[in-house]
Amino acid sequence: NPNPSPISNTNSKIMKKNLSPEEFNTALNTNEYKLIDIRTSEEYSEGHIKNSTQSDFYNTVEFSSFLDSLDKDSKYLIYC
């Protein structure tokens, strides 16, 4: 699906889209986005994209708190 699917919640509008590697790199290089790595700490320590922030998707309590702490006016790229 080439178009993002808008999903609304009470706090903000969220755009969800799966990006090709090329689209991801293009978006990353605009410096408009903050990068979030949702892999485990072990996976992150084995290698990650420079300037990414890590939060383990499988640690639901920590991950939920992390999401709540994000600036709702910022844009994010999430990868795993």
Side-chain angles (χ1 to χ4, degrees):
N1 183 0
N3 297 317
S5 309
I7 302 171
S8 296
N9 67 24
T10 57
N11 296 326
S12 64
K13 187 169 186 177
I14 300 170
M15 299 299 287
K16 179 182 85 169
K17 181 179 179 184
N18 291 327
L19 302 176
S20 70
E22 294 80 16
E23 291 171 317
F24 184 89
N25 282 328
T26 298
L28 185 59
N29 289 330
T30 67
N31 294 321
E32 292 180 41
Y33 299 88
K34 296 178 182 176
L35 187 58
I36 301 172
D37 184 326
I38 61 171
R39 299 175 302 153
T40 65
S41 296
E42 293 80 16
E43 291 168 318
Y44 186 82
S45 67
E46 290 174 7
H48 58 273
I49 299 174
K50 184 179 176 182
N51 298 321
S52 62
T53 300
Q54 188 271 336
S55 185
D56 185 348
F57 174 80
Y58 293 109
N59 185 339
T60 54
V61 173
E62 178 186 296
F63 188 69
S64 180
S65 294
F66 173 76
L67 291 179
D68 288 341
S69 74
L70 295 175
D71 178 355
K72 305 304 184 229
D73 294 322
S74 292
K75 295 180 182 180
Y76 301 92
L77 290 173
I78 299 172
Y79 78 98
C80 56

